[in-house]
């Protein structure tokens, strides 16, 4: 029997208990022995809940019980999740987490502690919710040199952009709808400003490089400036707008960023809609592979946590290899990256002739319903060159990067 404890009995924590109960027979077969929840740590009591008798309020009860070998950290945030995780690993208890913030901030340190104490720190659920991506990178793609990761890593922003495209609505209207449906938090900043996706691509980039990429060093741009007009122009270009988290390995280093992109209709990420997420991976031998599914939600995320619990049960007393060192590596300056840009311009301030003089050979796109403005696509240029030109002219209403 493998005894587990759950830290935090909220959405994901209660989902972990449900998955372990509902799929107990199959989990036992795959783990090699039964897995049972012995404790649930929470500040609250849950009278009437099937697991009410397992609730405790003191973490030390769990820490000091030698029967507990696996801890599911589903609390979220940095504290007390970090302190509890660290103490558990120091005691030789494996930790499985869905906490992207904690993994992004302290992942390499906690992985080192797990190695030193012959246990595991696993975090499949921290990046793509129910989408398997950490394990494929650590197991299935071990023969590969991964040189590119592009992902739609936030369900809230993908839902908002999907509704804006399909309904022709503006950002604020769709955000309110997303909040009413529970897809967006009351304070949606972490999602709509790209911070959530930034932490996730930091984790994936660190696994790709085997060294630590800190999310604070990643250029991050959200979707708050995206307009309904952007989607009208995108349609004329056979494109759509997605918030992408991108990590691309170059000879001189790695470009990492989060930003809205206009992607072409033949891009595999073009059709990822609503709250779904996807991660597109390029490696030197396999080439392209994509991992798709629900990037959040109670049971999808809980399922990923429990998959880590099964892995811990299979490897008791041994550490599952994960190449992620504490040595930090800074991403390349995004200003050095070269790409094309879509630009919206005020015809009264920046006419087509002036735009050509400033940017060179451009492709013009017009909207009949917007005669006072127009759009254009620039030639390939470095970000710093685009910004230099942008600052030298008046009349630019907005810009979005292009990705084929």
């Amino acid at each position: 029997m493998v005894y587990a404890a759950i830290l935090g009995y909220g959405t994901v924590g209660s989902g972990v208990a449900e998955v372990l109960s509902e799929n107990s027979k199959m989990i036992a077969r795959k783990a090699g022995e039964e897995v049972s929840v012995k404790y649930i740590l929470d500040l609250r009591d849950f009278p009437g809940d099937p697991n009410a008798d397992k609730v405790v309020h003191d973490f030390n009860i769990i820490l000091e019980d030698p029967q507990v070998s696996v801890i599911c950290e589903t609390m979220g945030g940095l504290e007390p999740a970090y302190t509890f995780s660290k103490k558990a690993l120091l005691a030789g208890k494996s930790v499985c987490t869905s906490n992207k913030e904690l993994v992004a901030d302290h992942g390499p340190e906690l992985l080192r502690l797990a190695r030193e104490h012959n246990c595991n720190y696993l975090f499949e659920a921290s990046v793509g919710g129910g989408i398997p991506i950490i394990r494929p990178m650590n197991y299935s793609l071990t023969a590969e040199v991964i040189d590119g990761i592009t992902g739609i890593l936030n369900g809230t922003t993908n839902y908002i952009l999907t509704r804006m495209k399909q309904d022709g609505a503006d950002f604020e209207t769709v955000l309110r709808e997303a909040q009413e449906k529970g897809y967006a938090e009351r304070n949606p900043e972490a999602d709509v400003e790209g911070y959530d996706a930034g932490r996730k691509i930091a984790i994936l980039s660190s696994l790709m490089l085997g060294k630590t990429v800190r999310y604070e060093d990643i250029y991050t741009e959200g979707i708050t400036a995206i307009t309904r007009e952007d989607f009208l122009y995108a349609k004329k270009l056979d494109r759509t707008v997605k918030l992408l988290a991108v990590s691309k390995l170059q000879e001189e280093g790695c470009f990492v960023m989060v930003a809205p992109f206009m992607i072409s209709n033949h891009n595999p990420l073009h059709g990822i809609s609503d709250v779904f997420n996807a991660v597109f991976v390029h490696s030197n031998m396999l080439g392209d592979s994509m991992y798709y599914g629900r990037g959040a939600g109670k049971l999808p995320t809980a399922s990923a946590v429990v998959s880590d619990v099964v892995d811990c049960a299979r490897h008791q007393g041994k550490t599952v290899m994960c190449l992620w060192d504490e040595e930090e590596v800074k991403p390349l300056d995004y200003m050095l990256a070269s790409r094309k840009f879509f630009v919206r311009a005020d015809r009264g301030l920046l006419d087509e002739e002036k735009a050509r003089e400033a940017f060179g050979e451009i492709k013009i796109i017009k909207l009949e319903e917007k005669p006072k403005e127009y759009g254009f696509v620039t030639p390939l240029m470095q970000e710093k060159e685009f910004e230099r030109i942008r600052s030298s002219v008046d009349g630019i209403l907005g810009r979005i990067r292009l990705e084929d």
Side-chain angles (χ1 to χ4, degrees):
M1 177 74 75
V2 173
Y3 287 101
I6 299 172
L7 309 187
Y9 202 53
T11 300
V12 178
S14 60
V16 169
E18 185 176 340
V19 172
L20 284 169
S21 174
E22 185 70 21
N23 293 346
S24 58
K25 290 183 180 179
M26 181 59 69
I27 289 168
R29 288 180 61 189
K30 292 180 177 179
E33 54 186 310
E34 290 184 36
V35 179
S36 175
V37 177
K38 188 169 184 180
Y39 299 109
I40 294 171
L41 180 73
D42 205 288
L43 294 173
R44 303 160 292 175
D45 289 306
F46 299 87
D49 188 277
N51 294 302
D53 60 326
K54 298 175 182 177
V55 175
V56 297
H57 307 300
D58 182 358
F59 176 66
N60 288 320
I61 294 173
I62 297 169
L63 191 65
E64 294 168 6
D65 189 334
Q67 284 192 318
V68 175
S69 60
V70 183
I71 289 176
C72 303
E73 186 277 296
T74 58
M75 307 175 77
L78 288 178
E79 286 294 353
Y82 169 65
T83 298
F84 289 171
S85 297
K86 186 172 181 178
K87 286 183 176 180
L89 294 169
L90 289 169
K93 300 179 188 293
S94 293
V95 176
C96 307
T97 185
S98 58
N99 190 337
K100 58 187 169 288
E101 186 177 0
L102 180 58
V103 176
D105 265 31
H106 297 288
E109 176 197 358
L110 297 174
L111 283 166
R112 174 176 55 78
L113 291 176
R115 289 193 299 270
E116 291 172 354
H117 294 85
N118 299 315
C119 54
N120 284 287
Y121 184 67
L122 303 181
F123 44 93
E124 181 63 71
S126 67
V127 170
I131 303 172
I133 182 59
I134 305 297
R135 195 168 280 105
M137 288 183 69
N138 280 339
Y139 289 84
S140 307
L141 300 178
T142 50
E144 299 285 321
V145 174
I146 298 173
D147 53 26
I149 300 171
T150 304
I152 295 172
L153 297 178
N154 182 272
T156 298
T157 50
N158 203 43
Y159 173 83
I160 291 171
L161 293 174
T162 299
R163 302 316 311 165
M164 288 178 70
K165 175 185 178 181
Q166 294 179 352
D167 300 343
D170 61 37
F171 170 79
E172 293 295 340
T173 300
V174 179
L175 174 59
R176 285 194 298 271
E177 175 193 322
Q179 289 171 320
E180 290 167 3
K181 291 187 174 183
Y183 293 150
E185 300 288 344
R186 185 175 300 177
N187 178 1
E189 182 181 17
D191 294 321
V192 300
E193 296 294 353
Y195 305 145
D196 176 82
R199 287 186 170 91
K200 293 173 179 177
I201 197 64
I203 294 169
L204 293 179
S205 299
S206 297
L207 293 174
M208 180 175 80
L209 300 173
K211 298 177 182 180
T212 298
V213 176
R214 300 198 63 81
Y215 69 88
E216 297 94 338
D217 295 330
I218 295 173
Y219 175 78
T220 303
E221 184 181 314
I223 65 168
T224 55
I226 300 299
T227 66
R228 59 181 297 275
E229 288 79 14
D230 291 327
F231 283 97
L232 297 176
Y233 285 111
K235 185 176 181 180
K236 290 219 166 194
L237 289 166
D238 291 325
R239 291 175 176 268
T240 193
V241 181
K242 295 291 184 184
L243 182 71
L244 299 185
V246 181
S247 184
K248 292 187 177 180
L249 191 61
Q250 310 284 328
E251 284 187 13
E252 62 273 26
C254 191
F255 283 111
V256 189
M257 72 184 309
V258 174
F261 283 81
M262 271 192 187
I263 62 174
S264 64
N265 287 354
H266 58 76
N267 188 303
L269 297 173
H270 179 274
I272 309 302
S273 60
D274 291 313
V275 296
F276 283 84
N277 287 188
V279 185
F280 190 68
V281 177
H282 185 272
S283 53
N284 67 335
M285 297 298 163
L286 173 63
D288 297 329
S289 57
M290 191 165 82
Y291 309 85
Y292 165 80
R294 292 191 178 275
K298 176 178 179 177
L299 295 179
T301 306
S303 174
V305 174
V306 173
S307 73
D308 283 344
V309 173
V310 171
D311 227 4
C312 290
R314 288 172 170 173
H315 297 91
Q316 294 181 68
K318 295 185 292 184
T319 301
V320 175
M321 173 61 82
C322 179
L323 185 60
W324 181 357
D325 294 336
E326 292 176 83
E327 179 187 347
E328 294 184 13
V329 55
K330 286 191 178 295
L332 294 171
D333 183 356
Y334 80 97
M335 282 290 201
L336 300 178
S338 295
R339 63 181 87 255
K340 294 180 180 180
F341 297 82
F342 164 77
V343 180
R344 280 179 61 212
D346 183 324
R347 191 180 299 278
L349 296 174
L350 182 65
D351 61 28
E352 295 172 20
E353 183 179 346
K354 288 180 181 177
R356 286 193 177 92
E357 288 175 2
F359 289 95
E361 191 59 39
I362 58 176
K363 177 181 179 180
I364 303 291
I365 311 100
K366 299 178 181 179
L367 297 178
E368 292 181 7
E369 61 267 50
K370 291 285 182 179
K372 293 184 179 181
E373 68 172 67
Y374 66 100
F376 62 88
V377 175
T378 72
L380 189 71
M381 61 177 59
Q382 281 191 325
E383 293 250 5
K384 66 177 183 179
E385 176 65 7
F386 175 85
E387 290 301 328
R388 183 190 66 78
I389 299 172
R390 182 188 192 185
S391 65
S392 69
V393 298
D394 294 324
I396 291 180
L397 301 174
R399 65 95 179 88
I400 305 176
R401 297 166 178 87
L402 266 61
E403 177 84 0
D404 290 330

